Amino acid sequence: MNTDDLVLVYASQGPLGAEVARAKLAANNIEAMARYSAVGRALGLTVDGLGLVEVYVRARDATAARALLEEEDVDDGHVVDEAGRADRPPE
């Protein structure tokens, strides 16, 4: 995936919500990638932002991705709008 035109569409505290969101997007033919802190992932930390996992899609897929993810609350994460604001900040 070319990272030049990626847009943040989802954020979760920990990998579970992000992986569920990414799988839901993939099932709907929207390519997505998860980004996370290596330290948080390696040590299993989920405090002070170290466990934050973000899901990115191509800009052309962002509107459809957000609509899919807003259909139901996907685990412990939050859909991020065009301005980069989460509907609820990750806990």
Side-chain angles (χ1 to χ4, degrees):
M1 175 184 286
N2 183 356
T3 59
D4 292 341
D5 70 332
L6 294 181
V7 176
L8 175 65
V9 295
Y10 190 80
S12 71
Q13 192 63 35
L16 180 60
E19 288 301 322
V20 170
R22 195 181 62 73
K24 183 173 184 176
L25 294 171
N28 286 277
N29 298 314
I30 297 176
E31 190 175 5
M33 68 174 245
R35 179 176 172 246
Y36 49 85
S37 164
V39 172
R41 183 84 173 201
L43 300 178
L45 300 174
T46 59
V47 296
D48 199 27
L50 288 176
L52 183 66
V53 182
E54 300 171 324
V55 176
Y56 290 84
V57 299
R58 289 187 175 95
R60 68 174 184 254
D61 296 328
T63 301
R66 288 184 181 107
L68 279 169
L69 296 173
E70 286 174 347
E71 286 178 358
E72 60 186 78
D73 194 18
V74 179
D75 264 336
D76 61 349
H78 312 286
V79 176
V80 177
D81 68 14
E82 297 85 11
R85 295 180 306 256
D87 61 356
R88 296 182 316 240
E91 299 163 355

mmCIF file of all heavy atoms in Angstrom, residues 32-76:
data_model
loop_
_atom_site.group_PDB
_atom_site.id
_atom_site.type_symbol
_atom_site.label_atom_id
_atom_site.label_comp_id
_atom_site.label_asym_id
_atom_site.label_seq_id
_atom_site.Cartn_x
_atom_site.Cartn_y
_atom_site.Cartn_z
ATOM 1 N N ALA A 32 -6.680 -1.591 4.199
ATOM 2 C CA ALA A 32 -6.373 -0.780 5.373
ATOM 3 C C ALA A 32 -5.089 -1.277 6.020
ATOM 4 O O ALA A 32 -4.692 -2.424 5.838
ATOM 5 C CB ALA A 32 -7.518 -0.854 6.380
ATOM 6 N N MET A 33 -4.449 -0.389 6.763
ATOM 7 C CA MET A 33 -3.266 -0.790 7.512
ATOM 8 C C MET A 33 -3.338 -0.223 8.916
ATOM 9 O O MET A 33 -3.917 0.849 9.142
ATOM 10 C CB MET A 33 -1.987 -0.349 6.830
ATOM 11 C CG MET A 33 -1.741 1.134 6.808
ATOM 12 S SD MET A 33 -0.112 1.488 6.135
ATOM 13 C CE MET A 33 0.669 2.178 7.561
ATOM 14 N N ALA A 34 -2.785 -0.965 9.859
ATOM 15 C CA ALA A 34 -2.752 -0.529 11.251
ATOM 16 C C ALA A 34 -1.365 0.013 11.564
ATOM 17 O O ALA A 34 -0.356 -0.513 11.089
ATOM 18 C CB ALA A 34 -3.084 -1.693 12.177
ATOM 19 N N ARG A 35 -1.341 1.063 12.375
ATOM 20 C CA ARG A 35 -0.074 1.677 12.801
ATOM 21 C C ARG A 35 -0.080 1.746 14.318
ATOM 22 O O ARG A 35 -1.066 2.184 14.912
ATOM 23 C CB ARG A 35 0.041 3.071 12.207
ATOM 24 C CG ARG A 35 1.301 3.794 12.603
ATOM 25 C CD ARG A 35 1.379 5.135 11.874
ATOM 26 N NE ARG A 35 2.489 5.887 12.406
ATOM 27 C CZ ARG A 35 2.370 7.006 13.082
ATOM 28 N NH1 ARG A 35 1.186 7.527 13.296
ATOM 29 N NH2 ARG A 35 3.425 7.627 13.541
ATOM 30 N N TYR A 36 1.013 1.340 14.926
ATOM 31 C CA TYR A 36 1.077 1.322 16.380
ATOM 32 C C TYR A 36 2.514 1.517 16.830
ATOM 33 O O TYR A 36 3.464 1.322 16.068
ATOM 34 C CB TYR A 36 0.538 0.010 16.932
ATOM 35 C CG TYR A 36 1.119 -1.205 16.272
ATOM 36 C CD1 TYR A 36 2.324 -1.742 16.697
ATOM 37 C CD2 TYR A 36 0.467 -1.807 15.203
ATOM 38 C CE1 TYR A 36 2.864 -2.846 16.082
ATOM 39 C CE2 TYR A 36 1.004 -2.921 14.581
ATOM 40 C CZ TYR A 36 2.202 -3.430 15.022
ATOM 41 O OH TYR A 36 2.740 -4.522 14.404
ATOM 42 N N SER A 37 2.671 1.880 18.077
ATOM 43 C CA SER A 37 3.986 2.041 18.679
ATOM 44 C C SER A 37 4.603 0.663 18.899
ATOM 45 O O SER A 37 3.971 -0.215 19.493
ATOM 46 C CB SER A 37 3.853 2.770 20.014
ATOM 47 O OG SER A 37 5.031 2.626 20.775
ATOM 48 N N ALA A 38 5.814 0.485 18.451
ATOM 49 C CA ALA A 38 6.485 -0.805 18.632
ATOM 50 C C ALA A 38 6.680 -1.135 20.109
ATOM 51 O O ALA A 38 6.554 -2.281 20.513
ATOM 52 C CB ALA A 38 7.834 -0.799 17.912
ATOM 53 N N VAL A 39 6.964 -0.124 20.913
ATOM 54 C CA VAL A 39 7.171 -0.357 22.345
ATOM 55 C C VAL A 39 5.890 -0.856 23.001
ATOM 56 O O VAL A 39 5.899 -1.827 23.756
ATOM 57 C CB VAL A 39 7.666 0.925 23.050
ATOM 58 C CG1 VAL A 39 7.692 0.740 24.552
ATOM 59 C CG2 VAL A 39 9.029 1.310 22.530
ATOM 60 N N GLY A 40 4.772 -0.207 22.701
ATOM 61 C CA GLY A 40 3.501 -0.633 23.274
ATOM 62 C C GLY A 40 3.147 -2.043 22.877
ATOM 63 O O GLY A 40 2.695 -2.845 23.685
ATOM 64 N N ARG A 41 3.375 -2.367 21.636
ATOM 65 C CA ARG A 41 3.061 -3.704 21.131
ATOM 66 C C ARG A 41 3.984 -4.759 21.745
ATOM 67 O O ARG A 41 3.543 -5.821 22.181
ATOM 68 C CB ARG A 41 3.182 -3.708 19.606
ATOM 69 C CG ARG A 41 2.833 -4.987 18.947
ATOM 70 C CD ARG A 41 1.358 -5.112 18.738
ATOM 71 N NE ARG A 41 1.091 -6.297 17.945
ATOM 72 C CZ ARG A 41 0.004 -6.482 17.266
ATOM 73 N NH1 ARG A 41 -0.929 -5.575 17.269
ATOM 74 N NH2 ARG A 41 -0.179 -7.572 16.602
ATOM 75 N N ALA A 42 5.275 -4.471 21.813
ATOM 76 C CA ALA A 42 6.236 -5.439 22.322
ATOM 77 C C ALA A 42 6.062 -5.709 23.812
ATOM 78 O O ALA A 42 6.187 -6.843 24.263
ATOM 79 C CB ALA A 42 7.659 -4.956 22.050
ATOM 80 N N LEU A 43 5.755 -4.663 24.558
ATOM 81 C CA LEU A 43 5.641 -4.816 26.006
ATOM 82 C C LEU A 43 4.201 -4.988 26.485
ATOM 83 O O LEU A 43 3.973 -5.188 27.668
ATOM 84 C CB LEU A 43 6.271 -3.609 26.716
ATOM 85 C CG LEU A 43 7.756 -3.381 26.434
ATOM 86 C CD1 LEU A 43 8.244 -2.130 27.145
ATOM 87 C CD2 LEU A 43 8.577 -4.592 26.838
ATOM 88 N N GLY A 44 3.257 -4.884 25.567
ATOM 89 C CA GLY A 44 1.854 -5.042 25.946
ATOM 90 C C GLY A 44 1.316 -3.850 26.726
ATOM 91 O O GLY A 44 0.357 -3.985 27.475
ATOM 92 N N LEU A 45 1.926 -2.689 26.541
ATOM 93 C CA LEU A 45 1.497 -1.493 27.271
ATOM 94 C C LEU A 45 0.302 -0.847 26.593
ATOM 95 O O LEU A 45 0.254 -0.721 25.374
ATOM 96 C CB LEU A 45 2.641 -0.476 27.347
ATOM 97 C CG LEU A 45 3.902 -0.957 28.057
ATOM 98 C CD1 LEU A 45 4.997 0.086 27.928
ATOM 99 C CD2 LEU A 45 3.613 -1.260 29.509
ATOM 100 N N THR A 46 -0.654 -0.411 27.395
ATOM 101 C CA THR A 46 -1.827 0.274 26.854
ATOM 102 C C THR A 46 -2.118 1.545 27.635
ATOM 103 O O THR A 46 -3.243 2.014 27.668
ATOM 104 C CB THR A 46 -3.070 -0.638 26.870
ATOM 105 O OG1 THR A 46 -3.324 -1.028 28.220
ATOM 106 C CG2 THR A 46 -2.882 -1.849 25.994
ATOM 107 N N VAL A 47 -1.116 2.112 28.267
ATOM 108 C CA VAL A 47 -1.315 3.340 29.041
ATOM 109 C C VAL A 47 -0.552 4.487 28.399
ATOM 110 O O VAL A 47 0.417 4.283 27.676
ATOM 111 C CB VAL A 47 -0.843 3.166 30.514
ATOM 112 C CG1 VAL A 47 -1.680 2.144 31.226
ATOM 113 C CG2 VAL A 47 0.621 2.797 30.580
ATOM 114 N N ASP A 48 -1.019 5.698 28.655
ATOM 115 C CA ASP A 48 -0.330 6.910 28.225
ATOM 116 C C ASP A 48 -0.076 6.942 26.717
ATOM 117 O O ASP A 48 0.967 7.390 26.261
ATOM 118 C CB ASP A 48 0.974 7.048 28.999
ATOM 119 C CG ASP A 48 1.514 8.477 28.956
ATOM 120 O OD1 ASP A 48 0.705 9.408 28.804
ATOM 121 O OD2 ASP A 48 2.738 8.640 29.072
ATOM 122 N N GLY A 49 -1.022 6.423 25.932
ATOM 123 C CA GLY A 49 -0.906 6.471 24.485
ATOM 124 C C GLY A 49 -0.018 5.407 23.865
ATOM 125 O O GLY A 49 0.018 5.274 22.646
ATOM 126 N N LEU A 50 0.702 4.633 24.659
ATOM 127 C CA LEU A 50 1.586 3.620 24.088
ATOM 128 C C LEU A 50 0.818 2.492 23.424
ATOM 129 O O LEU A 50 1.334 1.834 22.528
ATOM 130 C CB LEU A 50 2.525 3.052 25.151
ATOM 131 C CG LEU A 50 3.629 3.989 25.605
ATOM 132 C CD1 LEU A 50 4.430 3.341 26.721
ATOM 133 C CD2 LEU A 50 4.544 4.362 24.455
ATOM 134 N N GLY A 51 -0.410 2.261 23.842
ATOM 135 C CA GLY A 51 -1.203 1.196 23.253
ATOM 136 C C GLY A 51 -2.106 1.665 22.124
ATOM 137 O O GLY A 51 -2.886 0.890 21.589
ATOM 138 N N LEU A 52 -2.001 2.935 21.738
ATOM 139 C CA LEU A 52 -2.856 3.472 20.687
ATOM 140 C C LEU A 52 -2.535 2.815 19.353
ATOM 141 O O LEU A 52 -1.380 2.740 18.944
ATOM 142 C CB LEU A 52 -2.675 4.986 20.565
ATOM 143 C CG LEU A 52 -3.565 5.669 19.538
ATOM 144 C CD1 LEU A 52 -5.024 5.586 19.967
ATOM 145 C CD2 LEU A 52 -3.153 7.105 19.342
ATOM 146 N N VAL A 53 -3.571 2.318 18.687
ATOM 147 C CA VAL A 53 -3.431 1.712 17.356
ATOM 148 C C VAL A 53 -4.342 2.481 16.416
ATOM 149 O O VAL A 53 -5.521 2.688 16.705
ATOM 150 C CB VAL A 53 -3.801 0.215 17.369
ATOM 151 C CG1 VAL A 53 -3.589 -0.392 15.989
ATOM 152 C CG2 VAL A 53 -2.984 -0.533 18.411
ATOM 153 N N GLU A 54 -3.783 2.936 15.299
ATOM 154 C CA GLU A 54 -4.537 3.710 14.318
ATOM 155 C C GLU A 54 -4.708 2.903 13.044
ATOM 156 O O GLU A 54 -3.811 2.167 12.644
ATOM 157 C CB GLU A 54 -3.803 5.013 14.002
ATOM 158 C CG GLU A 54 -3.600 5.896 15.216
ATOM 159 C CD GLU A 54 -2.698 7.071 14.952
ATOM 160 O OE1 GLU A 54 -1.728 6.928 14.169
ATOM 161 O OE2 GLU A 54 -2.955 8.127 15.541
ATOM 162 N N VAL A 55 -5.873 3.055 12.409
ATOM 163 C CA VAL A 55 -6.158 2.362 11.156
ATOM 164 C C VAL A 55 -6.260 3.412 10.054
ATOM 165 O O VAL A 55 -6.995 4.396 10.176
ATOM 166 C CB VAL A 55 -7.464 1.547 11.245
ATOM 167 C CG1 VAL A 55 -7.796 0.910 9.903
ATOM 168 C CG2 VAL A 55 -7.338 0.477 12.325
ATOM 169 N N TYR A 56 -5.511 3.190 8.987
ATOM 170 C CA TYR A 56 -5.459 4.108 7.846
ATOM 171 C C TYR A 56 -5.978 3.422 6.590
ATOM 172 O O TYR A 56 -5.778 2.221 6.409
ATOM 173 C CB TYR A 56 -4.021 4.553 7.594
ATOM 174 C CG TYR A 56 -3.471 5.460 8.657
ATOM 175 C CD1 TYR A 56 -2.929 4.949 9.827
ATOM 176 C CD2 TYR A 56 -3.505 6.838 8.487
ATOM 177 C CE1 TYR A 56 -2.421 5.790 10.807
ATOM 178 C CE2 TYR A 56 -2.995 7.686 9.466
ATOM 179 C CZ TYR A 56 -2.456 7.157 10.615
ATOM 180 O OH TYR A 56 -1.963 7.987 11.588
ATOM 181 N N VAL A 57 -6.616 4.218 5.720
ATOM 182 C CA VAL A 57 -7.060 3.754 4.407
ATOM 183 C C VAL A 57 -6.652 4.805 3.377
ATOM 184 O O VAL A 57 -6.263 5.916 3.726
ATOM 185 C CB VAL A 57 -8.593 3.539 4.345
ATOM 186 C CG1 VAL A 57 -9.043 2.482 5.334
ATOM 187 C CG2 VAL A 57 -9.347 4.833 4.561
ATOM 188 N N ARG A 58 -6.762 4.458 2.107
ATOM 189 C CA ARG A 58 -6.507 5.442 1.046
ATOM 190 C C ARG A 58 -7.555 6.557 1.139
ATOM 191 O O ARG A 58 -8.707 6.308 1.512
ATOM 192 C CB ARG A 58 -6.588 4.784 -0.312
ATOM 193 C CG ARG A 58 -5.439 3.862 -0.599
ATOM 194 C CD ARG A 58 -5.507 3.383 -2.050
ATOM 195 N NE ARG A 58 -4.349 2.594 -2.358
ATOM 196 C CZ ARG A 58 -4.310 1.266 -2.287
ATOM 197 N NH1 ARG A 58 -5.373 0.592 -1.930
ATOM 198 N NH2 ARG A 58 -3.206 0.618 -2.575
ATOM 199 N N ALA A 59 -7.167 7.751 0.767
ATOM 200 C CA ALA A 59 -8.062 8.913 0.846
ATOM 201 C C ALA A 59 -9.363 8.650 0.086
ATOM 202 O O ALA A 59 -10.441 9.018 0.559
ATOM 203 C CB ALA A 59 -7.356 10.159 0.315
ATOM 204 N N ARG A 60 -9.273 7.994 -1.053
ATOM 205 C CA ARG A 60 -10.477 7.752 -1.856
ATOM 206 C C ARG A 60 -11.466 6.800 -1.172
ATOM 207 O O ARG A 60 -12.642 6.752 -1.509
ATOM 208 C CB ARG A 60 -10.105 7.233 -3.236
ATOM 209 C CG ARG A 60 -9.515 5.842 -3.227
ATOM 210 C CD ARG A 60 -9.297 5.315 -4.642
ATOM 211 N NE ARG A 60 -8.822 3.964 -4.608
ATOM 212 C CZ ARG A 60 -7.582 3.595 -4.869
ATOM 213 N NH1 ARG A 60 -6.679 4.500 -5.180
ATOM 214 N NH2 ARG A 60 -7.232 2.328 -4.825
ATOM 215 N N ASP A 61 -10.985 6.009 -0.200
ATOM 216 C CA ASP A 61 -11.830 5.050 0.511
ATOM 217 C C ASP A 61 -12.283 5.540 1.879
ATOM 218 O O ASP A 61 -13.037 4.849 2.570
ATOM 219 C CB ASP A 61 -11.076 3.728 0.711
ATOM 220 C CG ASP A 61 -10.757 3.035 -0.600
ATOM 221 O OD1 ASP A 61 -11.547 3.156 -1.550
ATOM 222 O OD2 ASP A 61 -9.703 2.362 -0.658
ATOM 223 N N ALA A 62 -11.840 6.720 2.301
ATOM 224 C CA ALA A 62 -12.069 7.178 3.674
ATOM 225 C C ALA A 62 -13.552 7.325 4.017
ATOM 226 O O ALA A 62 -13.984 6.885 5.088
ATOM 227 C CB ALA A 62 -11.340 8.499 3.919
ATOM 228 N N THR A 63 -14.339 7.917 3.150
ATOM 229 C CA THR A 63 -15.762 8.121 3.442
ATOM 230 C C THR A 63 -16.481 6.789 3.594
ATOM 231 O O THR A 63 -17.236 6.587 4.548
ATOM 232 C CB THR A 63 -16.427 8.969 2.338
ATOM 233 O OG1 THR A 63 -15.743 10.232 2.266
ATOM 234 C CG2 THR A 63 -17.890 9.201 2.625
ATOM 235 N N ALA A 64 -16.236 5.860 2.677
ATOM 236 C CA ALA A 64 -16.865 4.541 2.757
ATOM 237 C C ALA A 64 -16.394 3.790 3.996
ATOM 238 O O ALA A 64 -17.193 3.125 4.668
ATOM 239 C CB ALA A 64 -16.560 3.741 1.496
ATOM 240 N N ALA A 65 -15.106 3.904 4.325
ATOM 241 C CA ALA A 65 -14.563 3.216 5.503
ATOM 242 C C ALA A 65 -15.219 3.738 6.777
ATOM 243 O O ALA A 65 -15.619 2.949 7.640
ATOM 244 C CB ALA A 65 -13.050 3.404 5.568
ATOM 245 N N ARG A 66 -15.319 5.044 6.906
ATOM 246 C CA ARG A 66 -15.953 5.616 8.100
ATOM 247 C C ARG A 66 -17.407 5.177 8.210
ATOM 248 O O ARG A 66 -17.892 4.860 9.295
ATOM 249 C CB ARG A 66 -15.852 7.136 8.077
ATOM 250 C CG ARG A 66 -14.452 7.638 8.345
ATOM 251 C CD ARG A 66 -14.406 9.157 8.414
ATOM 252 N NE ARG A 66 -13.060 9.603 8.651
ATOM 253 C CZ ARG A 66 -12.287 10.181 7.735
ATOM 254 N NH1 ARG A 66 -12.754 10.388 6.505
ATOM 255 N NH2 ARG A 66 -11.061 10.560 8.040
ATOM 256 N N ALA A 67 -18.113 5.155 7.092
ATOM 257 C CA ALA A 67 -19.518 4.735 7.111
ATOM 258 C C ALA A 67 -19.643 3.288 7.576
ATOM 259 O O ALA A 67 -20.518 2.967 8.393
ATOM 260 C CB ALA A 67 -20.131 4.913 5.725
ATOM 261 N N LEU A 68 -18.782 2.410 7.086
ATOM 262 C CA LEU A 68 -18.804 1.004 7.514
ATOM 263 C C LEU A 68 -18.515 0.870 9.003
ATOM 264 O O LEU A 68 -19.181 0.119 9.714
ATOM 265 C CB LEU A 68 -17.773 0.194 6.737
ATOM 266 C CG LEU A 68 -18.166 -0.263 5.355
ATOM 267 C CD1 LEU A 68 -16.950 -0.807 4.626
ATOM 268 C CD2 LEU A 68 -19.245 -1.328 5.446
ATOM 269 N N LEU A 69 -17.532 1.596 9.477
ATOM 270 C CA LEU A 69 -17.129 1.485 10.874
ATOM 271 C C LEU A 69 -18.130 2.135 11.817
ATOM 272 O O LEU A 69 -18.211 1.769 12.984
ATOM 273 C CB LEU A 69 -15.736 2.076 11.071
ATOM 274 C CG LEU A 69 -14.627 1.339 10.323
ATOM 275 C CD1 LEU A 69 -13.314 2.088 10.438
ATOM 276 C CD2 LEU A 69 -14.490 -0.091 10.814
ATOM 277 N N GLU A 70 -18.921 3.086 11.317
ATOM 278 C CA GLU A 70 -19.933 3.735 12.149
ATOM 279 C C GLU A 70 -21.210 2.910 12.255
ATOM 280 O O GLU A 70 -22.043 3.174 13.120
ATOM 281 C CB GLU A 70 -20.259 5.122 11.606
ATOM 282 C CG GLU A 70 -19.156 6.123 11.880
ATOM 283 C CD GLU A 70 -19.396 7.466 11.225
ATOM 284 O OE1 GLU A 70 -20.291 7.571 10.346
ATOM 285 O OE2 GLU A 70 -18.677 8.404 11.568
ATOM 286 N N GLU A 71 -21.376 1.906 11.386
ATOM 287 C CA GLU A 71 -22.577 1.070 11.411
ATOM 288 C C GLU A 71 -22.797 0.442 12.776
ATOM 289 O O GLU A 71 -23.909 0.264 13.208
ATOM 290 C CB GLU A 71 -22.492 -0.033 10.354
ATOM 291 C CG GLU A 71 -22.691 0.459 8.959
ATOM 292 C CD GLU A 71 -22.547 -0.660 7.945
ATOM 293 O OE1 GLU A 71 -22.247 -1.815 8.322
ATOM 294 O OE2 GLU A 71 -22.733 -0.370 6.760
ATOM 295 N N GLU A 72 -21.720 0.068 13.419
ATOM 296 C CA GLU A 72 -21.789 -0.522 14.756
ATOM 297 C C GLU A 72 -20.494 -0.178 15.470
ATOM 298 O O GLU A 72 -19.483 0.085 14.842
ATOM 299 C CB GLU A 72 -21.979 -2.030 14.694
ATOM 300 C CG GLU A 72 -20.858 -2.747 13.971
ATOM 301 C CD GLU A 72 -21.143 -4.215 13.811
ATOM 302 O OE1 GLU A 72 -21.925 -4.561 12.927
ATOM 303 O OE2 GLU A 72 -20.586 -4.991 14.586
ATOM 304 N N ASP A 73 -20.565 -0.160 16.772
ATOM 305 C CA ASP A 73 -19.366 0.134 17.555
ATOM 306 C C ASP A 73 -18.423 -1.046 17.441
ATOM 307 O O ASP A 73 -18.743 -2.144 17.880
ATOM 308 C CB ASP A 73 -19.752 0.387 19.011
ATOM 309 C CG ASP A 73 -18.628 1.013 19.801
ATOM 310 O OD1 ASP A 73 -17.695 1.547 19.173
ATOM 311 O OD2 ASP A 73 -18.694 0.978 21.032
ATOM 312 N N VAL A 74 -17.276 -0.842 16.818
ATOM 313 C CA VAL A 74 -16.309 -1.910 16.625
ATOM 314 C C VAL A 74 -15.407 -1.952 17.849
ATOM 315 O O VAL A 74 -14.500 -1.159 18.008
ATOM 316 C CB VAL A 74 -15.475 -1.681 15.343
ATOM 317 C CG1 VAL A 74 -14.464 -2.788 15.164
ATOM 318 C CG2 VAL A 74 -16.371 -1.579 14.134
ATOM 319 N N ASP A 75 -15.680 -2.893 18.735
ATOM 320 C CA ASP A 75 -14.879 -3.129 19.937
ATOM 321 C C ASP A 75 -14.597 -1.861 20.722
ATOM 322 O O ASP A 75 -15.499 -1.132 21.053
ATOM 323 C CB ASP A 75 -13.603 -3.881 19.594
ATOM 324 C CG ASP A 75 -13.765 -5.367 19.812
ATOM 325 O OD1 ASP A 75 -14.624 -5.756 20.613
ATOM 326 O OD2 ASP A 75 -13.042 -6.122 19.181
ATOM 327 N N ASP A 76 -13.328 -1.601 20.992
ATOM 328 C CA ASP A 76 -12.965 -0.537 21.920
ATOM 329 C C ASP A 76 -12.404 0.700 21.254
ATOM 330 O O ASP A 76 -11.753 1.509 21.884
ATOM 331 C CB ASP A 76 -11.953 -1.059 22.943
ATOM 332 C CG ASP A 76 -10.673 -1.539 22.288
ATOM 333 O OD1 ASP A 76 -10.639 -1.660 21.057
ATOM 334 O OD2 ASP A 76 -9.704 -1.787 23.016
#
